[in-house]
Structure formats: C-alpha cells, structure tokens
C-alpha cells in the first residue's frame, strides 16, 4: 500500500507533507529518548536487535535524533516539491490550446509577407 501511495504523484506530495510535519513536530529537540524513556547527560542507551546490542551515549543519541529530524524534513520537502511539480505539469500541460494546421496552398509556394506592404 505504501508503495502505491509513493508511486502516485498525489500520494507522494501528501507523504512529503506528512514527513515534513513529523520532522518539525515529531522530534522534540529538548528531549533525547531511548526506548520511550527520557535520557539525561551521562546516560547510555542500549538497543538490542536480532541478538546484537548497541550502546550509545546521550550525545550520540541526541546527534542521531537531529539526523532523523533534518533527514525527515529534507526528504519530505523533496517529495513535496517533485510531486507538486508533476501535478502542475500534468494539469498545465493538458490545458494548452491546439495549434491549427498550417495551410499548404496546394503545393504552390506562398509569397512572403513584407512589411511595409509595397
């Protein structure tokens, strides 16, 4: 479902807006979180995944949060701009008037227009 939403220009635009909003409001720059717990300077965060453990300090976790925040804002903005450009291109391109066919004059060469007329 996410793949279909992402492939659609409207869905990509909406998803871009959502990512920007998550980046702005979803990450509180004053709180550093680890597993739903607020960290304080000097704390360590231990993450266990697939039998492997990773330990990060408060500063590393804060840096990681900033990376996710600005990454979310950047990717969301890019998705929004590309999606909006595709939407505008589609709607603006379809409304151009048709060009009239040029008259050939039965194969005879046409005289060139002169200014001022002689």
């Amino acid at each position: 479902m996410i793949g279909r939403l992402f492939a659609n220009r409207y869905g990509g635009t909406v998803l871009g807006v959502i990512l920007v909003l998550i980046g702005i409001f979803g990450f509180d720059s004053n709180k550093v979180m680890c597993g739903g717990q607020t960290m304080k300077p000097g704390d360590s965060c231990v993450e266990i995944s697939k039998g492997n453990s990773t330990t990060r300090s408060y500063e590393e976790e804060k840096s990681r949060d900033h990376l996710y925040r600005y990454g979310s804002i950047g990717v969301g903005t890019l998705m929004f701009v590309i999606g909006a450009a595709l939407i505008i291109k589609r709607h603006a391109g379809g409304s151009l008037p048709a060009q009239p066919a040029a008259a050939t004059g039965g194969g005879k060469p046409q005289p060139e227009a002169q200014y001022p007329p002689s």
Side-chain angles (χ1 to χ4, degrees):
M1 172 157 159
I2 296 292
R4 288 180 61 188
L5 180 69
F6 185 70
N8 181 333
R9 67 181 60 89
Y10 297 102
T13 304
V14 170
L15 193 57
V17 170
I18 291 170
L19 282 174
V20 169
L21 292 175
I22 287 173
I24 293 172
F25 299 111
F27 295 100
D28 186 2
S29 60
N30 297 329
K31 292 183 183 178
V32 177
M33 304 294 285
C34 177
Q37 302 282 332
T38 303
M39 292 180 68
K40 298 175 190 138
D43 288 349
S44 294
C45 179
V46 179
E47 183 179 294
I48 300 173
S49 175
K50 298 180 184 177
N52 298 324
S53 66
T54 305
T55 304
R56 289 186 205 82
S57 68
Y58 173 85
E59 289 79 19
E60 290 172 329
E61 201 63 33
K62 185 174 184 175
S63 173
R64 188 173 186 219
D65 285 353
H66 283 302
L67 177 68
Y68 286 149
R69 178 181 191 164
Y70 294 118
S72 175
I73 292 171
V75 170
T77 301
L78 184 65
M79 287 177 63
F80 174 77
V81 167
I82 291 172
L86 290 173
I87 290 169
I88 291 168
K89 180 181 175 186
R90 179 176 183 187
H91 291 289
S95 64
L96 293 176
Q99 295 294 328
T104 59
K108 298 179 188 173
Q110 300 292 323
E112 293 182 18
Q114 296 179 353
Y115 187 76
S118 23

